Each structure stands twice: as structure tokens, then as C-alpha cells.
Coordinates of all heavy atoms in Angstrom, one line a residue:
L1286 N 0.8 -1.2 0.0 CA 0.0 0.0 0.0 C 0.9 1.2 0.0 O 1.9 1.3 0.7 CB -0.9 0.0 1.2 CG -2.0 -1.0 1.3 CD1 -2.7 -0.8 2.7 CD2 -3.0 -0.8 0.2
E1287 N 0.4 2.3 -0.8 CA 1.1 3.5 -0.8 C 0.4 4.6 0.0 O -0.9 4.5 0.1 CB 1.2 4.1 -2.2 CG 2.2 3.4 -3.1 CD 2.3 4.1 -4.4 OE1 2.5 5.3 -4.5 OE2 2.1 3.4 -5.4
T1288 N 1.1 5.4 0.7 CA 0.5 6.5 1.4 C 0.2 7.7 0.5 O 1.1 8.1 -0.3 CB 1.5 7.0 2.5 OG1 1.7 5.9 3.4 CG2 0.8 8.1 3.4
L1289 N -1.0 8.2 0.5 CA -1.3 9.4 -0.3 C -0.9 10.7 0.4 O -0.9 10.8 1.6 CB -2.8 9.4 -0.6 CG -3.4 8.2 -1.4 CD1 -4.9 8.3 -1.5 CD2 -2.7 8.1 -2.7
E1290 N -0.5 11.7 -0.4 CA -0.1 12.9 0.1 C -1.4 13.7 0.5 O -2.5 13.4 0.0 CB 0.7 13.8 -0.9 CG -0.1 14.3 -2.1 CD -0.2 13.3 -3.3 OE1 0.3 12.2 -3.2 OE2 -0.8 13.7 -4.3
D1291 N -1.2 14.6 1.5 CA -2.3 15.5 1.9 C -2.8 16.4 0.7 O -2.0 16.8 0.0 CB -1.9 16.4 3.1 CG -1.7 15.6 4.3 OD1 -2.3 14.5 4.5 OD2 -1.0 16.1 5.2
R1292 N -4.1 16.6 0.7 CA -4.6 17.5 -0.4 C -5.6 18.5 0.3 O -6.4 18.1 1.2 CB -5.4 16.7 -1.4 CG -4.5 15.7 -2.1 CD -5.0 15.3 -3.4 NE -4.1 14.3 -3.9 CZ -3.9 14.1 -5.2 NH1 -4.6 14.8 -6.0 NH2 -3.0 13.2 -5.6
Q1293 N -5.5 19.7 -0.2 CA -6.4 20.7 0.3 C -7.4 21.0 -0.8 O -7.1 21.0 -1.9 CB -5.7 22.1 0.6 CG -5.0 22.2 1.9 CD -4.5 23.6 2.1 OE1 -3.9 24.2 1.2 NE2 -4.6 24.0 3.3
L1294 N -8.7 21.1 -0.3 CA -9.7 21.5 -1.3 C -9.8 23.0 -1.2 O -10.4 23.6 -0.3 CB -11.1 20.8 -0.9 CG -11.1 19.3 -1.0 CD1 -12.4 18.8 -0.4 CD2 -10.8 18.9 -2.4
M1295 N -9.2 23.7 -2.1 CA -9.2 25.2 -2.1 C -10.6 25.7 -2.3 O -11.4 25.3 -3.2 CB -8.3 25.7 -3.2 CG -6.9 25.3 -3.0 SD -6.3 25.9 -1.4 CE -4.5 25.7 -1.7
S1296 N -11.0 26.7 -1.5 CA -12.3 27.3 -1.6 C -12.3 28.5 -2.5 O -13.2 28.7 -3.3 CB -12.8 27.7 -0.2 OG -13.0 26.6 0.6
I1297 N -11.2 29.3 -2.4 CA -11.0 30.4 -3.3 C -10.3 29.9 -4.5 O -9.2 29.4 -4.5 CB -10.2 31.6 -2.7 CG1 -11.0 32.2 -1.6 CG2 -9.8 32.6 -3.7 CD1 -10.3 33.4 -0.9
S1298 N -11.0 30.0 -5.7 CA -10.3 29.6 -6.9 C -9.6 30.7 -7.6 O -8.6 30.4 -8.3 CB -11.4 29.0 -7.9 OG -12.3 29.9 -8.2
S1299 N -9.9 32.0 -7.3 CA -9.1 33.1 -7.8 C -9.4 34.3 -7.0 O -10.5 34.5 -6.5 CB -9.3 33.3 -9.3 OG -10.6 33.8 -9.5
C1300 N -8.4 35.2 -7.0 CA -8.6 36.5 -6.3 C -7.7 37.5 -7.0 O -6.5 37.5 -6.8 CB -8.1 36.3 -4.8 SG -8.6 37.7 -3.7
V1301 N -8.3 38.2 -8.0 CA -7.5 39.1 -8.9 C -8.1 40.5 -8.9 O -9.3 40.7 -8.7 CB -7.5 38.5 -10.3 CG1 -6.8 37.1 -10.3 CG2 -8.9 38.3 -10.9
V1302 N -7.2 41.4 -9.3 CA -7.7 42.8 -9.6 C -7.9 42.9 -11.1 O -7.0 42.7 -11.9 CB -6.7 43.8 -9.0 CG1 -7.1 45.2 -9.4 CG2 -6.5 43.6 -7.6
N1303 N -9.1 43.3 -11.5 CA -9.4 43.5 -12.9 C -10.1 44.9 -13.1 O -11.2 45.1 -12.5 CB -10.3 42.4 -13.4 CG -10.6 42.4 -14.8 OD1 -10.0 43.2 -15.6 ND2 -11.5 41.6 -15.3
S1304 N -9.5 45.8 -13.7 CA -10.0 47.2 -13.9 C -10.4 47.8 -12.6 O -11.5 48.3 -12.4 CB -11.2 47.1 -14.9 OG -10.9 46.6 -16.1
R1305 N -9.5 47.8 -11.6 CA -9.6 48.4 -10.3 C -10.7 47.7 -9.4 O -11.0 48.1 -8.4 CB -9.9 49.9 -10.4 CG -8.8 50.6 -11.0 CD -9.0 52.1 -11.1 NE -9.5 52.8 -9.9 CZ -8.8 53.2 -8.9 NH1 -7.5 53.2 -8.9 NH2 -9.3 53.8 -7.8
Q1306 N -11.2 46.5 -9.9 CA -12.1 45.8 -9.1 C -11.5 44.5 -8.6 O -10.9 43.7 -9.4 CB -13.4 45.4 -9.9 CG -14.4 44.7 -9.1 CD -15.7 44.4 -9.8 OE1 -15.7 43.8 -10.9 NE2 -16.8 44.9 -9.3
L1307 N -11.5 44.2 -7.3 CA -11.0 43.0 -6.7 C -12.1 42.0 -6.8 O -13.1 42.1 -6.3 CB -10.6 43.2 -5.2 CG -10.1 42.0 -4.5 CD1 -8.9 41.3 -5.1 CD2 -9.9 42.3 -3.0
V1308 N -11.8 40.9 -7.6 CA -12.8 39.9 -7.9 C -12.4 38.6 -7.2 O -11.3 38.1 -7.5 CB -13.0 39.6 -9.4 CG1 -14.0 38.5 -9.6 CG2 -13.3 40.9 -10.1
I1309 N -13.2 38.2 -6.2 CA -12.9 37.0 -5.4 C -13.9 36.0 -5.9 O -15.1 36.2 -5.8 CB -13.1 37.3 -3.9 CG1 -12.2 38.4 -3.4 CG2 -12.8 36.0 -3.1 CD1 -12.6 39.0 -2.1
T1310 N -13.4 34.8 -6.4 CA -14.2 33.8 -6.9 C -14.0 32.5 -6.1 O -12.9 32.1 -5.9 CB -14.0 33.5 -8.4 OG1 -14.1 34.8 -9.1 CG2 -14.9 32.5 -9.0
S1311 N -15.1 31.9 -5.6 CA -15.1 30.7 -4.8 C -15.5 29.5 -5.7 O -16.3 29.7 -6.6 CB -16.0 30.8 -3.7 OG -16.1 29.6 -2.9
N1312 N -14.9 28.4 -5.4 CA -15.3 27.2 -6.2 C -16.5 26.6 -5.4 O -17.2 27.2 -4.6 CB -14.2 26.2 -6.3 CG -13.6 25.7 -5.0 OD1 -14.3 25.8 -4.0 ND2 -12.5 25.1 -5.1
D1313 N -16.8 25.3 -5.6 CA -18.0 24.7 -5.1 C -17.8 24.1 -3.7 O -18.6 23.4 -3.2 CB -18.6 23.6 -6.0 CG -19.2 24.3 -7.2 OD1 -19.5 25.5 -7.2 OD2 -19.3 23.6 -8.3
N1314 N -16.6 24.4 -3.0 CA -16.4 24.0 -1.6 C -16.8 25.2 -0.8 O -16.7 26.3 -1.2 CB -14.9 23.7 -1.4 CG -14.5 22.5 -2.2 OD1 -15.2 21.4 -2.2 ND2 -13.4 22.6 -2.9
A1315 N -17.3 24.9 0.4 CA -17.7 26.0 1.3 C -16.5 26.9 1.6 O -15.4 26.5 1.8 CB -18.2 25.4 2.6
S1316 N -16.8 28.2 1.6 CA -15.7 29.2 1.9 C -16.1 30.0 3.1 O -17.3 30.3 3.4 CB -15.6 30.2 0.7 OG -15.2 29.5 -0.4
N1317 N -15.1 30.5 3.9 CA -15.3 31.3 5.0 C -14.3 32.5 4.8 O -13.2 32.6 5.3 CB -14.9 30.6 6.3 CG -15.3 31.4 7.5 OD1 -16.0 32.4 7.4 ND2 -14.8 31.0 8.7
I1318 N -14.8 33.5 4.0 CA -14.0 34.6 3.5 C -14.2 35.8 4.3 O -15.3 36.2 4.7 CB -14.3 34.9 2.0 CG1 -13.9 33.6 1.2 CG2 -13.5 36.1 1.5 CD1 -14.3 33.6 -0.2
R1319 N -13.0 36.5 4.7 CA -13.0 37.7 5.4 C -12.2 38.7 4.7 O -11.0 38.4 4.3 CB -12.5 37.5 6.8 CG -12.5 38.7 7.7 CD -12.1 38.2 9.1 NE -12.0 39.4 10.0 CZ -11.1 39.6 10.9 NH1 -10.1 38.7 11.1 NH2 -11.1 40.7 11.6
V1320 N -12.7 39.9 4.4 CA -12.0 41.0 3.8 C -11.9 42.1 4.8 O -12.9 42.6 5.3 CB -12.7 41.4 2.5 CG1 -12.0 42.6 1.9 CG2 -12.9 40.3 1.5
V1321 N -10.6 42.5 5.1 CA -10.4 43.6 6.0 C -9.6 44.7 5.3 O -8.6 44.5 4.7 CB -9.6 43.1 7.2 CG1 -9.3 44.2 8.2 CG2 -10.3 42.0 8.0
Q1322 N -10.2 45.9 5.4 CA -9.5 47.1 4.8 C -9.0 47.9 5.9 O -9.8 48.3 6.8 CB -10.5 47.9 3.9 CG -9.7 49.1 3.3 CD -10.6 49.8 2.2 OE1 -11.7 49.3 1.9 NE2 -10.1 50.9 1.8
S1323 N -7.7 48.2 5.9 CA -7.1 49.0 6.9 C -6.2 50.0 6.2 O -5.2 49.6 5.7 CB -6.3 48.2 7.9 OG -5.7 49.0 8.9
G1324 N -6.6 51.3 6.2 CA -5.8 52.3 5.5 C -5.8 52.0 4.0 O -6.9 51.8 3.4
T1325 N -4.7 51.8 3.4 CA -4.6 51.5 2.0 C -4.4 50.0 1.6 O -4.3 49.7 0.5 CB -3.4 52.3 1.3 OG1 -2.2 51.9 1.9 CG2 -3.6 53.8 1.5
K1326 N -4.5 49.2 2.7 CA -4.3 47.7 2.4 C -5.6 47.0 2.6 O -6.4 47.3 3.5 CB -3.3 47.2 3.4 CG -1.9 47.7 3.1 CD -0.9 46.8 3.8 CE 0.5 47.4 3.5 NZ 1.4 46.5 3.0
I1327 N -5.9 46.0 1.7 CA -7.0 45.1 1.8 C -6.5 43.7 1.9 O -5.7 43.3 1.1 CB -7.9 45.2 0.6 CG1 -8.5 46.7 0.5 CG2 -9.0 44.2 0.6 CD1 -9.2 46.9 -0.8
T1328 N -6.9 43.0 3.0 CA -6.4 41.6 3.2 C -7.6 40.7 3.0 O -8.6 40.9 3.6 CB -5.8 41.5 4.6 OG1 -4.7 42.4 4.8 CG2 -5.3 40.1 4.8
V1329 N -7.4 39.7 2.2 CA -8.4 38.7 2.0 C -7.9 37.4 2.6 O -6.8 36.9 2.3 CB -8.7 38.5 0.4 CG1 -9.7 37.4 0.2 CG2 -9.1 39.8 -0.2
T1330 N -8.8 36.8 3.4 CA -8.4 35.5 4.0 C -9.6 34.5 3.9 O -10.7 34.9 3.8 CB -8.0 35.6 5.5 OG1 -9.1 36.2 6.2 CG2 -6.8 36.4 5.7
D1331 N -9.2 33.2 3.7 CA -10.2 32.2 3.7 C -9.8 31.2 4.7 O -8.8 30.4 4.5 CB -10.3 31.5 2.3 CG -11.4 30.5 2.3 OD1 -11.9 30.1 3.3 OD2 -11.7 30.0 1.1
S1332 N -10.4 31.2 5.9 CA -10.0 30.3 7.0 C -10.2 28.8 6.7 O -9.6 28.0 7.4 CB -10.6 30.7 8.3 OG -12.0 30.6 8.2
T1333 N -11.0 28.5 5.7 CA -11.3 27.1 5.4 C -10.0 26.5 4.8 O -9.8 25.3 5.0 CB -12.4 27.0 4.3 OG1 -13.4 27.9 4.6 CG2 -12.9 25.6 4.2
N1334 N -9.2 27.2 4.1 CA -8.0 26.6 3.4 C -6.7 27.4 3.7 O -5.7 27.2 3.1 CB -8.2 26.5 1.9 CG -8.3 27.8 1.2 OD1 -7.8 28.8 1.7 ND2 -9.0 27.8 0.1
K1335 N -6.8 28.4 4.6 CA -5.6 29.1 5.0 C -5.1 30.1 3.9 O -3.9 30.4 3.9 CB -4.5 28.2 5.5 CG -4.9 27.3 6.6 CD -5.4 28.0 7.8 CE -5.7 27.0 8.9 NZ -6.9 27.2 9.6
Y1336 N -6.0 30.4 3.0 CA -5.6 31.4 1.9 C -5.5 32.8 2.5 O -6.3 33.2 3.4 CB -6.6 31.4 0.8 CG -6.4 32.6 -0.2 CD1 -5.5 32.4 -1.3 CD2 -6.9 33.8 0.0 CE1 -5.2 33.5 -2.1 CE2 -6.7 34.9 -0.9 CZ -5.8 34.7 -1.9 OH -5.5 35.7 -2.8
S1337 N -4.5 33.6 2.1 CA -4.3 34.9 2.5 C -3.7 35.7 1.4 O -2.7 35.3 0.8 CB -3.5 35.0 3.8 OG -3.4 36.4 4.2
G1338 N -4.3 36.9 1.0 CA -3.7 37.7 0.0 C -3.9 39.2 0.4 O -4.9 39.5 1.1
T1339 N -2.9 40.0 0.0 CA -3.0 41.5 0.4 C -3.0 42.3 -0.9 O -2.2 42.0 -1.8 CB -1.8 41.9 1.3 OG1 -1.8 41.0 2.4 CG2 -1.9 43.3 1.7
F1340 N -3.9 43.3 -0.9 CA -4.0 44.2 -2.1 C -4.0 45.6 -1.6 O -4.2 45.9 -0.4 CB -5.3 43.8 -2.8 CG -5.4 42.4 -3.2 CD1 -5.9 41.4 -2.3 CD2 -5.0 42.0 -4.5 CE1 -6.0 40.1 -2.7 CE2 -5.0 40.6 -4.8 CZ -5.6 39.7 -4.0
S1341 N -3.8 46.5 -2.5 CA -3.7 48.0 -2.2 C -4.8 48.8 -2.8 O -5.2 48.5 -3.9 CB -2.3 48.5 -2.6 OG -2.2 49.8 -2.3
T1342 N -5.1 49.9 -2.2 CA -6.1 50.8 -2.8 C -5.3 52.0 -3.5 O -6.0 52.9 -3.9 CB -7.0 51.4 -1.7 OG1 -6.2 52.1 -0.7 CG2 -7.9 50.3 -1.1
T1343 N -4.0 51.9 -3.6 CA -3.2 52.9 -4.3 C -2.3 52.2 -5.2 O -2.0 51.0 -5.1 CB -2.4 53.7 -3.3 OG1 -1.5 52.9 -2.6 CG2 -3.3 54.5 -2.3
G1344 N -1.7 53.0 -6.2 CA -0.7 52.4 -7.1 C -1.3 51.9 -8.4 O -2.5 52.1 -8.7
T1345 N -0.5 51.1 -9.1 CA -0.8 50.6 -10.4 C -2.1 49.7 -10.4 O -2.9 49.8 -11.2 CB 0.4 49.8 -11.0 OG1 1.5 50.6 -10.9 CG2 0.1 49.3 -12.4
N1346 N -2.1 48.7 -9.5 CA -3.3 47.8 -9.4 C -4.2 48.2 -8.2 O -4.7 47.3 -7.5 CB -2.8 46.4 -9.2 CG -2.2 45.8 -10.5 OD1 -2.7 46.1 -11.6 ND2 -1.2 45.0 -10.3
A1347 N -4.5 49.5 -8.1 CA -5.3 49.9 -7.0 C -6.7 49.4 -7.0 O -7.4 49.3 -8.1 CB -5.4 51.5 -7.0
V1348 N -7.2 48.9 -5.9 CA -8.6 48.4 -5.8 C -9.5 49.5 -5.4 O -9.3 50.3 -4.5 CB -8.6 47.3 -4.7 CG1 -10.0 46.8 -4.4 CG2 -7.7 46.1 -5.0
A1349 N -10.6 49.6 -6.2 CA -11.6 50.6 -6.0 C -13.0 50.0 -5.5 O -13.8 50.6 -4.9 CB -11.9 51.5 -7.2
S1350 N -13.1 48.7 -5.9 CA -14.4 48.0 -5.5 C -14.1 46.5 -5.3 O -13.0 46.0 -5.8 CB -15.5 48.2 -6.5 OG -15.1 47.7 -7.8
I1351 N -15.0 45.8 -4.7 CA -14.8 44.4 -4.4 C -16.1 43.6 -4.9 O -17.2 44.1 -4.7 CB -14.6 44.1 -2.9 CG1 -13.3 44.8 -2.4 CG2 -14.5 42.6 -2.7 CD1 -13.2 44.8 -0.9
K1352 N -15.8 42.5 -5.6 CA -16.9 41.7 -6.1 C -16.7 40.3 -5.6 O -15.5 39.8 -5.7 CB -17.0 41.7 -7.6 CG -18.1 40.8 -8.2 CD -18.1 40.9 -9.7 CE -19.2 40.1 -10.3 NZ -19.3 40.1 -11.7
F1353 N -17.7 39.6 -5.0 CA -17.5 38.2 -4.6 C -18.5 37.3 -5.4 O -19.7 37.6 -5.5 CB -17.9 38.1 -3.1 CG -17.9 36.7 -2.6 CD1 -16.7 36.0 -2.6 CD2 -19.0 36.1 -2.2 CE1 -16.7 34.6 -2.1 CE2 -19.0 34.8 -1.7 CZ -17.8 34.1 -1.7
N1354 N -17.9 36.3 -6.0 CA -18.7 35.3 -6.8 C -18.7 34.0 -6.0 O -17.6 33.3 -5.9 CB -18.1 35.0 -8.2 CG -18.1 36.3 -9.0 OD1 -19.1 37.0 -9.1 ND2 -17.0 36.5 -9.7
G1355 N -19.8 33.7 -5.3 CA -19.8 32.5 -4.5 C -20.0 31.2 -5.3 O -20.4 31.3 -6.4
G1356 N -19.7 30.1 -4.6 CA -19.8 28.8 -5.3 C -21.1 28.2 -4.9 O -22.1 28.8 -4.5
A1357 N -21.2 26.8 -5.0 CA -22.4 26.1 -4.8 C -22.7 25.7 -3.4 O -23.8 25.3 -3.0 CB -22.4 24.8 -5.7
K1358 N -21.7 25.9 -2.5 CA -21.9 25.5 -1.1 C -22.2 26.8 -0.3 O -22.3 27.9 -0.8 CB -20.6 24.9 -0.5 CG -20.2 23.6 -1.2 CD -21.2 22.5 -0.8 CE -20.7 21.2 -1.4 NZ -21.5 20.1 -1.1
A1359 N -22.4 26.6 1.1 CA -22.7 27.7 2.0 C -21.5 28.5 2.2 O -20.7 28.2 3.1 CB -23.3 27.1 3.3
D1360 N -21.3 29.6 1.5 CA -20.2 30.5 1.6 C -20.5 31.6 2.7 O -21.7 32.0 2.8 CB -19.8 31.2 0.3 CG -19.4 30.2 -0.7 OD1 -18.7 29.3 -0.4 OD2 -19.7 30.4 -1.9
T1361 N -19.5 32.0 3.4 CA -19.6 33.1 4.3 C -18.7 34.2 3.8 O -17.5 33.9 3.5 CB -19.2 32.7 5.7 OG1 -20.1 31.7 6.2 CG2 -19.4 33.9 6.7
F1362 N -19.2 35.5 3.7 CA -18.4 36.6 3.3 C -18.5 37.7 4.3 O -19.7 38.2 4.5 CB -18.8 37.0 1.9 CG -18.0 38.2 1.4 CD1 -16.8 38.0 0.6 CD2 -18.4 39.5 1.6 CE1 -16.1 39.0 0.2 CE2 -17.6 40.6 1.2 CZ -16.5 40.3 0.4
V1363 N -17.4 38.2 4.9 CA -17.5 39.3 5.9 C -16.5 40.3 5.4 O -15.4 40.1 5.0 CB -17.1 38.8 7.3 CG1 -17.0 39.9 8.3 CG2 -18.0 37.7 7.8
Y1364 N -17.0 41.6 5.4 CA -16.2 42.8 5.1 C -16.1 43.6 6.3 O -17.1 44.0 6.9 CB -16.8 43.6 3.9 CG -16.0 44.8 3.7 CD1 -14.9 44.8 2.9 CD2 -16.5 46.1 4.2 CE1 -14.2 46.0 2.7 CE2 -15.8 47.2 4.0 CZ -14.6 47.2 3.2 OH -13.9 48.3 3.0
E1365 N -14.9 44.0 6.6 CA -14.6 45.0 7.7 C -13.7 46.1 7.3 O -12.7 45.9 6.6 CB -13.9 44.2 8.9 CG -14.7 43.1 9.5 CD -13.9 42.4 10.6 OE1 -12.8 42.9 11.0 OE2 -14.3 41.3 10.9
G1366 N -14.1 47.3 7.5 CA -13.3 48.4 7.1 C -14.1 49.6 6.6 O -15.3 49.6 6.7
G1367 N -13.4 50.4 5.9 CA -14.2 51.5 5.3 C -13.4 52.4 4.5 O -13.1 52.7 3.5

């Protein structure tokens, strides 16, 4: 018998800036996504799979808005900041 390697079922399938819009797309696994804006930084985390990404509201790829595309499972999306 062979031992199989650990596999994570990623909930966030992509998190990209497109035309100043941060687009967070979840796959069909449940997601627990939290977006925190503090000053000029936006941090996106998904505690389901330990994803973390940081984006800026200034500069070349500045974020002006956020869009969340949920998947087929029970996703949670929380935004904190202003």
C-alpha cells in the first residue's frame, strides 16, 4: 500500500484585480472569507483553506471596489473596514 499525500480543497479559486475591481471567486467548496480594509491595504483570508492575500487601494493595481462570486456551497463573506 502507498501513502497518499495530503490534499487541500481550495475554496477560493481566484482572487484578482481587474479594472480596479478586486474579484474574489469561490469554487464549489464552502468558503469562510473575510476581507479587512485598513488604510490603503485590503487583506483577503479564507480560513477554510488558510488562503491569504493582500491588495492595495493605491498604485498601479489599486482596488476601488470588491466583487464576490460565491460557489455552490454555503459561503460566508465578511467585510470589515471603510
Side-chain angles (χ1 to χ4, degrees):
L1286 290 175
E1287 284 186 55
T1288 303
L1289 298 176
E1290 69 273 3
D1291 289 337
R1292 300 201 181 207
Q1293 278 188 317
L1294 297 175
M1295 299 300 197
S1296 298
I1297 291 180
S1298 59
S1299 69
C1300 194
V1301 297
V1302 178
N1303 186 7
S1304 299
R1305 296 182 46 90
Q1306 183 175 57
L1307 176 59
V1308 180
I1309 304 165
T1310 303
S1311 175
N1312 63 16
D1313 290 340
N1314 296 312
S1316 300
N1317 187 12
I1318 296 170
R1319 182 174 177 219
V1320 177
V1321 178
Q1322 183 173 351
S1323 178
T1325 61
K1326 292 193 183 235
I1327 297 172
T1328 303
V1329 178
T1330 57
D1331 182 350
S1332 62
T1333 317
N1334 65 28
K1335 308 300 182 224
Y1336 170 86
S1337 182
T1339 302
F1340 304 87
S1341 180
T1342 59
T1343 62
T1345 307
N1346 288 323
V1348 174
S1350 64
I1351 299 170
K1352 178 179 181 180
F1353 175 67
N1354 298 315
K1358 297 287 183 181
D1360 296 323
T1361 301
F1362 181 89
V1363 175
Y1364 174 81
E1365 297 176 14

